[in-house]
């Protein structure tokens, strides 16, 4: 079997196109565009690239981004004041604090300070809890992107055996919750899991979110399974690979996402969607799709 490639770039483009109309309808009714406040601290090159991509995508969709670039040595108090200000700002409907932060800063209280109603990343414990009780409000973007790709490819989730490799708060745990909500039977694997190959081999759906180049071997994959590779790993030669051994897995899987061009673009598209949805909730407009 040769897997069908799930093209995340194309799907993300479609989402952005659909959003554009909804964003301009929002602006017409609300008198202002949806706004995303972005906080970037220091000079981490990878973070700068992510933030630039997100801001460009905002611009193209008609969402206004408010960029706050702060020096490496900014104080915790200064950041707290900025978050308070963004929480109050009626032009800002979503707030994104780009992680990681420099070592002298404590990310957790800052994440807690972001108003749950503007928590576009869905990391605030209130939103984590909403997802856990089956009443999602803001859901983290990468997990949303994974489910969207599975749905858009027509992969059946109800009753499927899904294996999530990785249990982080930003990918593994929330994607497992979403799969559960779709009616899948979910197993979460992590660094202490025994017989990872056995678990993966029984999965109709595999989500790999580890951060280790090609650690999920192609010959583990159950024939016909859907494989979503969240991992982004830069090799010494500068190339980027996922957590799944792509070429070998493609021979067995029914569906597979490439890296790059799979989940990555979906994360940005879902951030834009979250920002618009947040703006709609705040402005209490019920615009039609
Ligand atoms: P974390 O480092 O926070 O979590 C990694 C998880 O993998 C942990 O739960 C860890 O287990 C588990 N793990 C580590 N080694 C093994 C192993 N040998 N076997 C099984 N599980 C293992 O990573 P993130 O969740 O933040 O990110 C995962 C990957 O996804 C990274 O490559 C990251 O760059 C990428 N990513 C991509 C995004 C995108 O937009 N495409 C967005 C976010 C992340 P334990 O908990 O036991 O330590």
């Amino acid at each position: 079997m040769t897997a069908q490639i799930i093209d995340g770039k194309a799907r993300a483009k479609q989402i952005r196109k659909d959003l554009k109309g909804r964003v301009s309808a929002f602006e017409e009714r609300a008198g202002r565009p949806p706004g995303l406040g972005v906080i970037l601290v220091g000079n981490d090159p990878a973070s700068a690239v992510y933030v630039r991509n997100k801001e460009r995508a905002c611009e193209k969709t008609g969402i206004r981004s408010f960029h706050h670039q702060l020096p490496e040595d900014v104080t915790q108090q200064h950041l707290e004041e900025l978050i308070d200000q963004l929480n109050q700002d009626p032009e800002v409907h979503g707030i994104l604090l780009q992680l990681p932060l420099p070592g002298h800063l404590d990310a957790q209280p800052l994440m807690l300070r972001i108003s749950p109603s503007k928590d576009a990343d869905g990391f605030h414990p209130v939103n984590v809890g909403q997802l856990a009780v089956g009443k999602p409000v803001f859901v983290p973007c990468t997990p949303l992107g994974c489910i969207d790709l599975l749905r858009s490819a027509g992969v059946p989730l109800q009753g499927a055996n899904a294996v999530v490799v990785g249990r982080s708060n930003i990918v593994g745990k929330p994607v497992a919750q979403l799969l559960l909500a779709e009616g899948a039977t979910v197993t979460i694997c992590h660094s202490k899991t025994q017989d990872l190959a056995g678990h993966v081999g029984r999965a109709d759906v595999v989500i790999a979110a580890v951060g280790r180049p090609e650690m999920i071997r192609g010959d583990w994959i159950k024939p016909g399974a859907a494989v979503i590779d969240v991992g982004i790993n830069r090799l010494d030669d500068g190339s980027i690979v996922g957590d799944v051994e792509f070429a070998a897995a493609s021979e067995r899987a029914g569906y597979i996402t490439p890296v790059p061009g799979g989940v990555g673009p979906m994360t940005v598209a879902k951030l834009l969607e979250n920002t618009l949805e947040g703006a709609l909730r705040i402005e209490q407009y019920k615009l039609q799709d």
Side-chain angles (χ1 to χ4, degrees):
M1 171 176 291
T2 304
Q4 181 184 318
I5 307 293
I6 306 179
D7 184 345
K9 222 168 153 182
R11 175 69 191 134
K13 195 171 168 192
Q14 182 63 46
I15 292 173
R16 287 200 305 270
K17 193 166 156 241
D18 295 347
L19 269 177
K20 227 170 161 173
R22 297 180 64 206
V23 164
S24 64
F26 173 89
E27 183 170 2
E28 241 167 63
R29 296 270 292 272
R32 58 165 69 106
L36 178 69
V38 180
I39 306 173
L40 177 61
V41 180
N43 308 307
D44 178 55
S47 294
V49 171
Y50 290 142
V51 162
R52 205 162 47 239
N53 286 343
K54 289 167 187 173
E55 289 177 338
R56 264 198 214 129
C58 278
E59 261 169 47
K60 281 194 196 156
T61 318
I63 294 173
R64 191 184 293 163
S65 74
F66 299 89
H67 181 88
H68 295 269
Q69 169 77 55
L70 300 169
E72 186 84 22
D73 61 355
V74 68
T75 62
Q76 184 91 5
Q77 190 190 343
H78 187 108
L79 274 170
E80 286 169 3
E81 285 166 7
L82 174 58
I83 289 170
D84 291 348
Q85 180 197 317
L86 295 174
N87 281 339
Q88 298 300 322
D89 188 339
E91 305 222 319
V92 172
H93 304 97
I95 301 172
L96 187 151
L97 175 63
Q98 184 66 40
L99 302 175
L101 294 175
H104 69 284
L105 297 168
D106 189 355
Q108 188 60 19
L110 296 170
M111 307 303 290
L112 279 172
R113 205 162 180 112
I114 294 173
S115 164
S117 66
K118 295 192 176 185
D119 172 35
D121 263 334
F123 296 159
H124 192 288
V126 166
N127 287 314
V128 174
Q130 293 287 135
L131 177 60
V133 297
K135 304 244 177 277
V137 182
F138 277 117
V139 176
C141 305
T142 303
L144 280 177
C146 295
I147 300 297
D148 186 307
L149 289 176
L150 288 166
R151 277 201 182 152
S152 63
V155 175
L157 295 176
Q158 198 167 331
N161 286 323
V163 167
V164 178
V165 191
R167 56 174 166 178
S168 72
N169 290 332
I170 64 169
V171 190
K173 284 182 200 157
V175 85
Q177 299 272 10
L178 291 176
L179 286 164
L180 205 55
E182 295 286 340
T185 301
V186 184
T187 304
I188 306 176
C189 299
H190 45 78
S191 67
K192 310 291 185 288
T193 296
Q194 291 180 19
D195 189 22
L196 181 62
H199 285 290
V200 171
R202 287 185 287 278
D204 306 306
V205 174
V206 179
I207 312 272
V210 181
R212 286 173 179 248
E214 300 186 328
M215 70 157 289
I216 309 286
R217 312 312 297 179
D219 60 8
W220 295 358
I221 303 296
K222 177 176 168 181
V227 180
I228 303 291
D229 191 349
V230 182
I232 301 176
N233 306 289
R234 188 176 289 276
L235 303 182
D236 290 344
D237 66 2
S239 60
I240 290 180
V241 298
D243 289 345
V244 178
E245 197 188 14
F246 180 81
S250 303
E251 297 296 316
R252 292 171 68 88
Y255 306 85
I256 192 165
T257 58
V259 177
V263 177
M266 292 297 290
T267 298
V268 179
K270 291 292 162 182
L271 174 68
L272 304 176
E273 234 174 48
N274 272 359
T275 305
L276 173 63
E277 300 295 343
L280 288 167
R281 279 192 293 270
I282 287 174
E283 304 282 350
Q284 291 179 327
Y285 284 94
K286 306 247 183 305
L287 300 182
Q288 298 300 316
D289 278 350

